[in-house]
Amino acid sequence: EVQLVESGGGLVQPGGSLNLSCVASGFTFSSYAMSWFRQAPGKEFEWVGGINRIGGKMYAEFVKGRFRIDRDNAKNAVYLQLNSLASEDTAMYYCAKVRKGAHYTEVEERGQGTQVTVSS
């Protein structure tokens, strides 16, 4: 059974940073690209960025260099470093397993999410 467990969310002030983690199990993690998505209340599910099996990365345009995705295949983990956070970054953040051979936005599984709230 595929499991993706996110952690690291919380309340942060505008301009602050958070580091989200996602630990995967139930599949050969190193063989899959991984993505991060987010969903704010009342808004659509939104792709944030992705990382391929060997560490190549791609980000949504709104990221504008503020976020960074990394992975550690030895730990079956993918990370999302959030910097220069603004109120509009408030959302539930999810990691997801990308379908093999597909674009980063085409996923097979996702976790339960971790909440990020940006507020003063």
Side-chain angles (χ1 to χ4, degrees), residues 35-116:
S35 276
W36 284 93
F37 290 79
R38 70 183 188 181
Q39 188 168 30
K43 294 193 175 180
E44 292 187 357
F45 204 57
E46 180 177 46
W47 178 69
V48 174
I51 185 167
N52 66 20
R53 296 177 296 119
I54 57 172
K57 304 165 194 180
M58 186 178 289
Y59 299 95
E61 203 164 317
F62 71 82
V63 169
K64 296 180 182 176
R66 300 181 300 130
F67 300 168
R68 177 187 169 98
I69 297 175
D70 289 295
R71 68 187 295 159
D72 185 339
N73 288 340
K75 295 182 178 179
N76 284 3
V78 60
Y79 308 99
L80 178 63
Q81 175 70 37
L82 306 171
N83 299 312
S84 302
L85 286 164
S87 57
E88 48 267 36
D89 295 315
T90 294
M92 187 73 81
Y93 284 73
Y94 302 88
C95 71
K97 173 176 171 263
V98 178
R99 188 163 56 86
K100 268 199 175 179
H103 187 270
Y104 288 116
T105 55
E106 298 180 51
V107 300
E108 296 177 320
E109 305 278 351
R110 72 176 192 193
Q112 295 298 306
T114 186
Q115 177 68 39
V116 171

